[in-house]
Amino acid sequence: MPHVLLIEDDASVRDGMELVLRRHGYEVSVASTGEAALALLDAPEGKAVDIAVLDLMLPGLDGFEVCRRVRSRTSHSTLPVIMLTARGDDTDVVLGLEAGADDYVVKPVTAPVLEARIRAALRRATPVAARDAYAGLVVDRAGLTVTKNGTPLALPPTELRLLLELSASPGQVFSREQLLRSVWDHDFLGDSRIVDAAVGRLRAKIEDVASRPRYVQTVRGFGYRFGPL
């Protein structure tokens, strides 16, 4: 039974989401502040959390800072994070994605949409098998690990799934829409900012110089490809 950490300060929204998720079979922990959420994650039982649903507009530590701190913790750096934003404001969305969120939904969100996004994020956390090496970058598809020049890299599930998808077909160009479908499981024409933000975060970790990528390259007007190296 997946364990969801729901971080939302509006009691009515929080209670409604918690009820829906429990009815769909999820174990749910709730927090009304960022500080409470981080304390829960740092507690021994926090290691059992499988995914976080994080409101951006929180009292005290806001969702952006909470996400950054989650990503900086070794024990939770790979935790899937879905952010909730009330307005769908471009700035909020971009900042949230750059802080490390894997996906976002705009409130009010229907129960089927929220549950589908959670299922998709959890699927991304369990990609598939083999081992490939590319000029210093080793992708172990069975062990779900990535190393760069012998140094292990901690990649959140979305970034790992993105790397697995691109590196499975070196030289093939993937459109943003293709990546949204294959990596994020979005069945609609989604927001390309999700893809661009994840590519930016991935490059910052695997490239020698993120602004001059060797591995994840932009094909202007089309999308992204892995290599040629």
Side-chain angles (χ1 to χ4, degrees):
M1 180 184 296
H3 184 182
V4 179
L5 173 57
L6 176 59
I7 311 159
E8 167 63 66
D9 66 315
D10 186 315
S12 61
V13 174
R14 186 176 64 245
D15 293 347
M17 287 184 173
E18 180 182 7
L19 180 62
V20 164
L21 292 173
R22 289 190 183 280
R23 283 178 175 171
H24 280 84
Y26 294 94
E27 180 182 355
V28 183
S29 296
V30 297
S32 58
T33 67
E35 291 86 348
L38 292 172
L40 191 153
L41 284 171
D42 287 339
E45 62 272 22
K47 294 180 181 178
V49 171
D50 297 299
I51 187 169
V53 178
L54 170 65
D55 185 29
L56 289 185
M57 297 297 105
L58 295 170
L61 285 179
D62 62 21
F64 305 111
E65 183 59 25
V66 172
C67 193
R68 281 190 286 267
R69 294 194 185 191
V70 167
R71 288 287 175 252
S72 71
R73 282 161 158 76
T74 302
S75 57
H76 298 296
S77 62
T78 63
L79 180 71
V81 176
I82 297 175
M83 67 179 187
L84 299 172
T85 174
R87 300 187 302 273
D89 179 84
D90 282 354
T91 301
D92 282 355
V93 170
V94 171
L95 289 175
L97 293 170
E98 289 180 347
D102 298 285
D103 200 355
Y104 77 95
V105 292
V106 178
K107 295 189 293 184
V109 56
T110 64
V113 169
L114 177 61
E115 211 263 328
R117 294 295 184 88
I118 289 174
R119 285 200 318 269
L122 290 172
R123 283 197 297 272
R124 292 196 297 274
T126 55
V128 289
R131 177 186 174 91
D132 299 300
Y134 314 93
L137 187 71
V138 177
V139 180
D140 185 342
R141 297 174 185 272
L144 301 182
T145 60
V146 179
T147 59
K148 176 72 181 296
N149 297 326
T151 301
L153 303 179
L155 298 182
T158 296
E159 293 167 36
L160 177 58
R161 186 69 174 266
L162 178 60
L163 178 59
L164 289 170
E165 183 71 16
L166 291 168
S167 63
S169 303
Q172 178 179 333
V173 178
F174 293 84
S175 70
R176 290 169 175 82
E177 290 73 21
Q178 286 176 305
L179 292 171
L180 278 168
R181 286 193 295 268
S182 59
V183 177
W184 281 264
D185 291 333
H186 283 192
D187 295 325
F188 55 92
L189 184 60
D191 190 334
S192 64
R193 292 173 299 186
I194 295 176
V195 179
D196 294 339
V199 167
R201 296 195 307 267
L202 179 60
R203 282 174 171 166
K205 294 168 185 171
I206 69 172
E207 303 287 356
D208 294 329
V209 181
S211 60
R212 297 198 301 275
R214 301 173 61 202
Y215 302 108
V216 181
Q217 300 179 353
T218 300
V219 181
R220 294 192 182 279
F222 292 95
Y224 297 102
R225 70 180 175 193
F226 189 85
L229 302 177

